[in-house]
Amino acid sequence: MPASQPRSRARDRNNVLNRAEFLSLNQPLKGNQESRSSGRKQSGQAGAAGAQNSNPKERRQSQQLPEEDCMQLNPSFKGIAFNSLLAIDICMSKRLGVCANRASSWGGARSMINLLGITGHGIPWIAGTLICLVKSSTLAGQEVLMNLLLALLLDIMIVAGLQKLAKRKGPYDVNPGLLDYLTMDTYAFPAGHASRAAMLSKFFLNHLVLAIPLRILLVLWALCVGFSRVMIGRHHITDVLSGFVFGYLQFRLVELIWMSSNTCQMLISIW
C-alpha cells in the first residue's frame, strides 16, 4: 500500500492534463459530466419512484394527453366548416334583426312585424279551427278540419320537443311573449312559426281549391311569417329554414295518418 501511493502520485505529476494550464479546461467538463450524471440519476430515480407509485389508469391518461391536445389543436375539416357556417348564420341573423328593439333601424315597424308573426301562431289557428268545426255541417268539411286540428297539435308537440332538446337561444336577447309560453315556443331552434306556416300552406294547397293568385299569396304569407321572426331577433336564419323543413315533414306525417270521415265522426260524437 505505501509503495502504490508514490507511484500514483508520480503518474499524476507526469499526466499532461493535470498541469496548471489545463486545469481550467478539465474542471468545467468534469462539473458538466457530474451535473448531467447526477441529473440523470435523479430523473431516473424520480421516474422509477413515479412508475412504482402511479396506477395503470394514470399511465393511460398520461399517454392520451398528447393525443387529446393534438385533436384540440388540429380540428377536423367538418368541425371547421360547421363553426364557419354557424358564425355566418349568427352574423347574418344579427344584420337582418332590424326590428329586434325600438332602437333598431326599423324599430318603428316592430309592432307590425309582431302582428304578422301572430298570424302564424298556434293558439289563434287552433281556436279558429275549433270554431269552424263547431259550425261545419258537412262531412267533408269536418274531416278536413279534424285533420287540420291534428296537424296543429302535432306541430306544437314536435316543435316544443325539438326546442327542449336543442335549447338554442336567439341572436338577440328577446323575451318570448305570453302566447309563446302557452305553446312552449321559448327557444330558437326550430322556428315554430315557420314550421306552422309551411305546414298550413302545404295543407291548404292540397285540400282546398284555390285560384292561382291565392295560392301565390299563401306561399308568400308563409315566407313572410318565417322571416319576420328573424327581423324581430327571435330566430336565426337556419332556425327558420329548418322550421320550413320540419313543417313539410309534419304535413307528410299527417297525410300518412290521415283520419277517415268515420273516425272523425266518432271523435266528434265523443267530444
Side-chain angles (χ1 to χ4, degrees):
M1 291 295 295
S4 60
Q5 290 179 357
R7 292 179 183 177
S8 60
R9 291 176 183 175
R11 290 177 183 176
D12 293 336
R13 292 174 184 175
N14 295 328
N15 192 357
V16 179
L17 296 177
N18 290 331
R19 295 181 182 179
E21 59 268 22
F22 294 106
L23 288 177
S24 60
L25 298 176
N26 294 334
Q27 290 177 356
L29 291 175
K30 291 180 181 179
N32 290 335
Q33 289 177 356
E34 290 176 356
S35 61
R36 289 178 183 176
S37 60
S38 62
R40 289 176 182 176
K41 289 179 182 179
Q42 291 177 357
S43 62
Q45 292 175 358
Q52 292 176 359
N53 296 328
S54 62
N55 297 325
K57 294 182 179 180
E58 295 179 355
R59 295 178 185 175
R60 293 175 184 175
Q61 291 178 357
S62 63
Q63 292 176 358
Q64 291 176 359
L65 283 176
E67 296 179 0
E68 293 176 357
D69 294 340
C70 292
M71 291 298 292
Q72 293 176 359
L73 294 175
N74 299 312
S76 62
F77 176 77
K78 293 181 179 179
I80 295 173
F82 177 77
N83 292 330
S84 301
L85 292 176
L86 186 63
I88 294 172
D89 178 35
I90 295 173
C91 179
M92 294 299 296
S93 300
K94 285 184 176 291
R95 287 178 177 271
L96 293 176
V98 293
C99 302
N101 48 56
R102 294 293 181 183
S104 301
S105 57
W106 289 17
R110 180 176 171 80
S111 58
M112 184 177 64
I113 299 300
N114 278 326
L115 182 62
L116 178 61
I118 291 175
T119 61
H121 204 281
I123 298 298
W125 277 102
I126 291 175
T129 303
L130 290 174
I131 294 172
C132 293
L133 186 60
V134 171
K135 294 185 176 181
S136 179
S137 58
T138 61
L139 296 178
Q142 291 176 356
E143 179 183 352
V144 172
L145 289 171
M146 282 296 295
N147 285 280
L148 177 60
L149 182 61
L150 174 64
L152 291 170
L153 294 176
L154 283 176
D155 174 75
I156 290 176
M157 290 187 293
I158 292 173
V159 170
L162 291 173
Q163 287 187 358
K164 290 294 183 182
L165 290 175
K167 292 184 178 181
R168 187 186 188 189
K169 296 183 179 180
Y172 289 92
D173 190 12
V174 178
N175 296 324
L178 178 61
L179 294 177
D180 296 329
Y181 281 109
L182 291 177
T183 56
M184 296 174 287
D185 187 10
T186 55
Y187 291 100
F189 180 87
H193 289 67
S195 67
R196 195 171 301 111
M199 185 269 296
L200 288 171
S201 62
K202 186 63 177 174
F203 188 92
F204 291 148
L205 289 174
N206 274 40
H207 297 286
L208 295 180
V209 179
L210 300 174
I212 293 178
L214 291 177
R215 297 171 76 88
I216 295 174
L217 288 175
L218 189 60
V219 174
L220 290 177
W221 167 78
L223 294 174
C224 290
V225 168
F227 284 101
S228 68
R229 308 300 289 173
V230 180
M231 295 176 66
I232 64 172
R234 279 281 284 118
H235 297 280
H236 299 86
I237 298 175
T238 53
D239 300 333
V240 173
L241 295 178
S242 61
F244 289 150
V245 174
F246 282 116
Y248 177 78
L249 295 177
Q250 290 166 9
F251 165 76
R252 299 301 302 174
L253 177 61
V254 172
E255 291 292 313
L256 290 175
I257 60 175
W258 184 269
M259 294 184 295
S260 63
S261 179
N262 295 330
T263 305
C264 294
Q265 292 301 313
M266 182 183 65
L267 293 175
I268 292 173
S269 63
I270 294 173
W271 179 45

